[in-house]
Amino acid sequence: MSRPIQFVIEHLEEDDAESKEVPAWVGLEYTHMLTLSPPESTVHFTSLSPSSRLALASAFAPAPQSTPTLATAAAHTSDVLTLIKDMNIDISRVCLLDPKAEKELAPEDGEEFDVFLFGGILGDDPPLDRTSVLRLKGFPGRRLGPVQMTTDTALGVVKMVVVDKIPLEKIEYNEFPTIHFNAHESVEMPFRYIKGPDGEPLLPVGMRDHLKKDLDRSFEF
């Protein structure tokens, strides 16, 4: 690739009704994307509300001892079409990750595209096809297989295919894993996750604690 790959997340998730910011689990997934992306890349978050943009910009601000291996994050209230116009990138060089695309993503797509675009939160159960909003804008598309993924998982898979040149069918996954908190409490995740080095699903830092809190709240009366 002649220049660093760019990722764009067109934000289609509603803000938290109370805080008017992105829900906590969305923030965890978005932050996880920075660890899954190449460090020389930028992950753009577009179509954010003003309050969500400020919250994410603050969350993404590098800490004094932060690791230099994280990708750069950029939060925008403008949409993806405005962003690529400002970046002088033709729509033909932007690949929409679309479960209804005719072609599957392949390593050579890293040379064909400069930007990889994700619509909404790829993690609804059942899927809501929010990608349809972007499909109508004419972006060329690629699919990542038949099983639903979260957005951060999808971004990690794209990086493995187009940067690391691992064919899609060679990637190992945990399918619908059960997350155990103790001997009596667990939750089954209805998504596909990348299998980590320890054989466990690759989850965002803090996601287990968030899931446990949600589970505890479900038992409150």
Side-chain angles (χ1 to χ4, degrees):
M1 288 173 288
S2 58
R3 56 180 172 178
I5 190 174
Q6 307 283 319
F7 297 102
V8 178
I9 314 301
E10 180 82 344
H11 183 74
L12 301 175
E13 188 73 32
E14 295 292 335
D15 286 356
D16 183 277
E18 294 183 4
S19 67
K20 304 299 183 184
E21 298 175 357
V22 296
W25 67 272
V26 175
L28 293 175
E29 286 195 5
Y30 281 7
T31 303
H32 193 210
M33 294 175 189
L34 305 184
T35 70
L36 297 174
S37 305
E40 68 275 10
S41 296
T42 300
V43 183
H44 298 270
F45 300 90
T46 54
S47 291
L48 295 165
S49 69
S51 58
S52 291
R53 189 194 69 79
L54 289 174
L56 286 177
S58 176
F60 294 149
Q65 291 84 27
S66 63
T67 171
T69 59
L70 292 179
T72 301
H76 310 270
T77 54
S78 55
D79 66 8
V80 60
L81 290 176
T82 301
L83 176 67
I84 63 172
K85 181 179 179 181
D86 291 344
M87 296 170 65
N88 197 30
I89 295 175
D90 190 87
I91 195 171
S92 65
R93 300 287 296 177
V94 180
C95 176
L96 172 64
L97 280 303
D98 183 356
K100 294 188 177 181
E102 294 183 1
K103 293 183 179 180
E104 288 197 335
L105 189 72
E108 55 267 25
D109 288 322
E111 318 307 323
E112 184 167 347
F113 300 108
D114 299 314
V115 176
F116 290 87
L117 169 63
F118 304 81
I121 301 301
L122 305 185
D124 295 306
D125 181 40
L128 298 179
D129 192 24
R130 285 185 281 183
T131 304
S132 61
V133 175
L134 295 172
R135 189 180 301 129
L136 298 175
K137 299 184 186 297
F139 296 104
R142 297 289 187 272
R143 62 176 183 264
L144 297 178
V147 182
Q148 177 81 345
M149 301 178 184
T150 57
T151 318
D152 55 320
T153 299
L155 185 147
V157 169
V158 170
K159 184 263 183 184
M160 293 172 74
V161 174
V162 303
V163 177
D164 301 333
K165 304 302 182 184
I166 301 173
L168 194 60
E169 65 273 13
K170 298 292 186 182
I171 297 175
E172 294 188 62
Y173 300 102
N174 285 89
E175 308 281 0
F176 315 124
T178 298
I179 309 300
H180 295 275
F181 305 112
N182 52 51
H184 307 288
E185 295 180 301
S186 63
V187 60
E188 184 178 13
M189 306 300 289
F191 312 118
R192 163 182 277 183
Y193 292 88
I194 297 168
K195 183 180 290 187
D198 58 358
E200 294 296 312
L202 205 57
L203 297 173
V205 172
M207 184 60 79
R208 289 180 64 91
D209 290 340
H210 179 71
L211 292 170
K212 178 64 165 60
K213 289 177 182 177
D214 271 358
L215 185 66
D216 291 342
R217 279 195 291 267
S218 70
F219 289 106
E220 292 177 357
F221 296 96

